[in-house]
Amino acid sequence: MGDPALRVAAAPASGLDAAALDGIVVDLLDTMAAMDGAGLAAPQIGIPYRVVAFGLKNNPRYPEAEPLPLTVLIDPAVEALETETEEGWEGCLSVPGMRGLVTRWRRIRYAGGTPGGERVIREAAGFHARVVQHECDHLDGVLYPDRIENRRMFGFIGELQAAGLLGGPALPEE
Ligand code: NI
């Protein structure tokens, strides 16, 4: 956070050639795995294209989180399925050491291309929906602190824990 590259809209990736796209996908998945992250967007690793990855399976860092299918999305789109929102704690590999309570749509539909050239359309709720919204925000230069409504619910992990404020497993990246 502070790098201007995280604050601009990323470019559509559908026009990239297959080799370039494959390279982006490998970098995204490798980095996400190395960081034990639940999600990652290409601009976070210096790639200015609209590609995100997410997935979570038996990660000891999120023992209570619901499983999230390992997914790479090219030029994703998200829409709310209802007006209801909910709050959850988020972290971000681009904002290390911190957490914030963020309001997100509770139920969404999202769509995007896959590296294999297919199209994914899914409905999601809760943690799954939160991760997708967090990652797609990165493609528009939006970071989760921008969406925190109560600034007192934003801080360093140790301080939030010491204050008894931080709880729950819903942490999209860290
Ligand atoms: Ni993030």
Side-chain angles (χ1 to χ4, degrees):
M1 189 175 183
D3 181 346
L6 288 171
R7 292 311 205 164
V8 294
S14 50
L16 293 171
D17 65 53
L21 199 52
D22 283 351
I24 293 173
V25 171
V26 168
D27 283 352
L28 259 185
L29 292 176
D30 283 354
T31 307
M32 196 172 84
M35 308 294 278
D36 261 346
L40 194 65
Q44 292 183 271
I45 55 171
I47 299 170
Y49 289 99
R50 303 184 78 83
V51 185
V52 299
F54 52 86
L56 194 61
K57 185 173 72 174
N58 302 324
N59 189 323
R61 295 171 65 185
Y62 312 89
E64 294 169 55
E66 54 204 273
L68 189 62
L70 182 63
T71 303
V72 174
L73 288 181
I74 295 152
D75 294 341
V78 178
E79 61 177 326
L81 283 178
E82 56 187 40
T83 57
E84 193 178 338
T85 59
E86 64 186 8
E87 292 184 318
W89 288 99
E90 297 189 13
C92 180
L93 294 171
S94 299
V95 192
M98 304 191 80
R99 294 284 187 272
L101 195 64
V102 182
T103 303
R104 300 283 185 187
W105 300 114
R106 199 178 74 78
R107 290 186 62 237
I108 61 168
R109 177 185 295 121
Y110 66 92
T114 73
E118 293 171 344
R119 186 152 183 85
V120 166
I121 301 176
R122 289 189 191 135
E123 295 185 1
F127 180 74
H128 185 167
R130 178 171 298 277
V131 172
V132 173
Q133 289 172 84
H134 177 115
E135 298 312 330
C136 289
D137 264 357
H138 278 297
L139 304 180
D140 294 322
V142 176
L143 299 174
Y144 81 81
D146 305 343
R147 296 197 180 277
I148 294 171
E149 293 175 350
N150 179 354
R151 300 283 161 164
R152 296 181 180 209
M153 303 299 261
F154 178 49
F156 296 102
I157 293 168
E159 297 298 333
L160 293 167
Q161 287 173 332
L165 294 170
L166 184 60
L171 309 171
E173 288 180 8
E174 285 189 323

